Amino acid sequence: MNTTVLALQEEQVLVAVGKSGAQPSVQALYSAPAHGGGMENWEKAIGALWQQHRLPTRGITLVLPDEAVATKTITAPSMPENKLEELVRHEMRPREDQLAAADYVPLGTDAEGRQQLFCAACRKETMEEYLAMTDRLGLRLQSVTVTMAGRLKLLHAMQSMQGKTCIWLCFEGSSVLSLLVENGEYRYSSRSRIFSEPGTVDFGTEMTRNVSGTMQFHTASRSGGTLTDVYYAGCSDDDFEVCLAGIRGLGLKVSRLPECRAFRALPNGERLDDWLGCAETLIRTVLRASKELDLLHSYRRLSRGRKGQTGLLHSFYTPIAVCLVVCAAVWCVFLQMNSSLSHRTDDINDWLNDPTVIEQYNEAAEKQQRNDNLVQGLQQVRNLTDALATYPQVDSALMSKIGAAGGAQVSMVLTGYDAATGALQFDAQSGSVIDIPSYVLKLQKTGLFRKVDYTGYTYEDGVYVLSLNCILLGEEAAE
């Protein structure tokens, strides 16, 4: 099927034209500078490319820039696909009062048979900005996806990665994506800014530290497989040469990301690793299990859902209105047939319409509502008390114990607590690089948690943030 992939990146716009499939055929590749990104710069670059090369205006897949989306790997029990979609929409919603287009691709199952899902979401308002831009340019989208979705498809299509445990360093503008592959399967990824000039000694040191941090995560996860290789893409051999000695010093082999045999030869001798984020999106599979991540489909379903609510109200109230009309007609006939009772009926209606009676009725209804609310609130308190009884009290003493595990250099910020499951989410923050295995081990040794999961690691504005999801150790487990 003919497809045009349009990828928006920080410094440029990439376009791949070809046929998607298990063995995609790339017919043409184009790029244009975006001068720092932003809607205005992207729109100018795209307009110039389409005008210069007369590119197709239909069948376009848009790859959103990383800053426009939120991604997360979640664990879910076995359930139907519609329930999984509902779970993902709930998990990826930014806030209760915000809507987001969200979708997922399955990553497989863990040792306990639970599903691992890679999820991505884009706020509804943000999606509408990108769709408005493509509409102004006269482009008709068939799907909207994210960079990591294509990266995962490329990983599964590369036979050379089967059973491999390695690290991918994928460069894009002034950032680098570190992707950990364990036994041929995606395990973890993180994106970080590059603060050094490529090709300099500081750049080599920075990349060596990046690889070392990913190695620490791999060691702490204890998921098996020996880490052997580091592959890089999107960076010239000359600029990356300064990184070789440091990474090899960690006991790892270093080479450019190998070509994917699923692709036929790229035009003009281009290398696939120079077009990551764009070309790999053309990979398609006929297997039902390999679900495609499509935020456009999710956005349209979200929009239809909101419109459908209004239609549902109409469909609900219309039969009621009809019934009321029929009842009124029957009532009129009844009044005519029972004229002798009209006076009594009038008296009753007068009483019902008496402001004093109405006021008394409203007061009684209000008191009944307050009573129902109190009963419901008491039941919720009892349920919460029963759930909390099996876990340590989440108070300043518990927070102090958790904070002490990080020492003076690491502060913690509570981000969530589920009393029903004992799940406690918090961020560890530090001005220096956090030693992830050591910090996780210290948390385990506190005796507070049954399970400690590391869910993310970021760096922004001089602060390293380590996100954790910990299950408190209940009284039954402690015994």
Side-chain angles (χ1 to χ4, degrees):
M1 137 175 220
N2 290 328
T3 303
T4 301
V5 179
L6 169 61
L8 307 180
Q9 298 185 355
E10 180 182 351
E11 298 294 337
Q12 60 182 348
V13 170
L14 300 180
V15 177
V17 181
K19 293 184 177 180
S20 60
Q23 291 186 317
S25 173
V26 181
Q27 300 167 0
L29 295 166
Y30 306 99
S31 66
H35 306 295
M39 203 69 68
E40 182 178 354
N41 291 329
W42 284 324
E43 186 169 348
K44 290 180 180 178
I46 296 170
L49 277 176
W50 254 254
Q51 183 177 6
Q52 180 181 357
H53 301 287
R54 299 184 180 277
L55 300 177
T57 58
R58 296 182 178 274
I60 296 172
T61 294
L62 177 65
V63 183
L64 295 178
D66 290 325
E67 61 267 23
V69 298
T71 60
K72 182 167 61 175
T73 301
I74 66 173
T75 301
S78 179
M79 60 178 68
E81 184 173 330
N82 62 332
K83 295 296 183 182
L84 281 178
E85 292 176 349
E86 182 179 347
L87 172 66
V88 170
R89 286 196 298 270
H90 175 76
E91 288 289 330
M92 299 303 291
R93 175 179 287 189
R95 295 200 312 260
E96 285 298 325
D97 60 341
Q98 289 185 344
L99 297 175
D103 203 2
Y104 72 94
V105 287
L107 297 175
T109 57
D110 61 12
E112 300 177 3
R114 298 175 300 181
Q115 301 180 80
Q116 302 296 308
L117 309 176
F118 175 81
C119 309
C122 179
R123 292 176 62 248
K124 182 174 181 291
E125 294 79 3
T126 304
M127 274 286 291
E128 288 170 348
E129 292 178 7
Y130 288 101
L131 297 180
M133 179 188 70
T134 55
D135 283 343
R136 289 193 299 269
L137 292 167
L139 306 183
R140 297 294 174 262
L141 302 182
Q142 70 175 8
S143 62
V144 175
T145 186
V146 299
T147 304
M148 270 300 299
R151 206 62 42 87
L152 294 173
K153 292 195 289 186
L154 178 63
L155 170 62
H156 292 149
M158 296 179 69
Q159 295 182 354
S160 59
M161 293 296 156
Q162 293 183 2
K164 199 86 170 178
T165 299
C166 59
I167 297 172
W168 289 15
L169 295 178
C170 303
F171 294 87
E172 179 186 315
S174 59
S175 64
V176 59
L177 173 73
S178 302
L179 191 151
L180 175 62
V181 178
E182 292 182 346
N183 298 322
E185 298 293 334
Y186 169 82
R187 179 67 176 85
Y188 154 81
S189 64
S190 66
R191 180 174 296 275
S192 56
R193 304 295 293 180
I194 301 174
F195 298 98
S196 307
E197 185 70 23
T200 63
V201 175
D202 289 341
F203 177 73
T205 302
E206 190 174 348
M207 291 304 103
T208 302
R209 288 176 179 171
N210 187 302
V211 172
S212 177
T214 307
M215 289 180 66
Q216 292 179 20
F217 177 84
H218 168 69
T219 302
S221 66
R222 300 177 182 177
S223 55
T226 302
L227 191 60
T228 58
D229 292 84
V230 172
Y231 299 103
Y232 65 94
C235 182
S236 68
D237 295 337
D238 292 339
D239 286 341
F240 198 79
E241 186 176 2
V242 296
C243 309
L244 300 180
I247 297 176
R248 287 169 178 166
L250 298 174
L252 302 173
K253 295 182 288 185
V254 189
S255 59
R256 180 172 288 278
L257 187 69
E259 293 296 318
C260 177
R261 294 184 179 179
F263 276 89
R264 303 169 190 175
L266 298 185
N268 302 321
E270 294 281 357
R271 295 185 307 198
L272 177 63
D273 63 271
D274 290 329
W275 296 87
L276 291 186
C278 178
E280 74 265 44
T281 305
L282 289 170
I283 299 175
R284 292 285 189 277
T285 176
V286 296
L287 297 178
R288 178 67 182 89
S290 299
K291 179 181 180 298
E292 295 285 342
L293 191 152
D294 185 2
L295 295 181
L296 180 60
H297 176 69
S298 175
Y299 169 80
R300 288 171 174 168
R301 184 171 59 241
L302 183 69
S303 300
R304 286 196 303 268
R306 291 181 64 83
K307 294 177 181 178
Q309 291 177 4
T310 303
L312 182 62
L313 290 176
H314 284 298
S315 63
F316 177 77
Y317 284 116
T318 299
I320 295 178
V322 172
C323 289
L324 290 175
V325 171
V326 172
C327 290
V330 173
W331 181 249
C332 290
V333 173
F334 177 78
L335 287 178
Q336 292 174 358
M337 296 175 61
N338 298 276
S339 59
S340 62
L341 297 176
S342 61
H343 181 70
R344 183 180 176 185
T345 303
D346 291 339
D347 290 341
I348 294 174
N349 287 332
D350 291 339
W351 181 84
L352 290 173
N353 293 320
D354 189 341
T356 303
V357 175
I358 294 175
E359 182 179 359
Q360 293 174 351
Y361 173 81
N362 290 336
E363 289 178 356
E366 183 178 356
K367 290 178 180 179
Q368 181 63 43
Q369 182 62 45
R370 286 201 299 267
N371 183 67
D372 293 342
N373 292 340
L374 286 173
V375 172
Q376 183 179 4
L378 286 173
Q379 186 60 43
Q380 291 176 349
V381 170
R382 292 191 189 99
N383 294 341
L384 182 58
T385 302
D386 293 340
L388 290 174
T390 61
Y391 299 107
Q393 186 174 358
V394 180
D395 53 14
S396 58
L398 180 65
M399 297 298 101
S400 298
K401 291 180 182 179
I402 299 175
Q409 300 298 322
V410 180
S411 62
M412 65 83 65
V413 177
L414 182 67
T415 59
Y417 175 57
D418 187 351
T421 63
L424 186 71
Q425 297 90 29
F426 61 90
D427 291 342
Q429 302 179 351
S430 175
S432 57
V433 177
I434 299 174
D435 186 350
I436 298 172
S438 175
Y439 183 65
V440 171
L441 183 60
K442 289 178 181 178
L443 288 174
Q444 293 171 339
K445 288 183 177 180
T446 61
L448 298 173
F449 304 113
R450 173 166 57 84
K451 185 177 182 182
V452 178
D453 282 338
Y454 159 65
T455 60
Y457 192 82
T458 61
Y459 176 84
E460 186 174 353
D461 297 330
V463 177
Y464 294 87
V465 178
L466 174 65
S467 299
L468 299 107
N469 183 54
C470 304
I471 306 301
L472 288 170
L473 186 66
E475 291 179 357
E476 296 178 0
E479 294 173 359

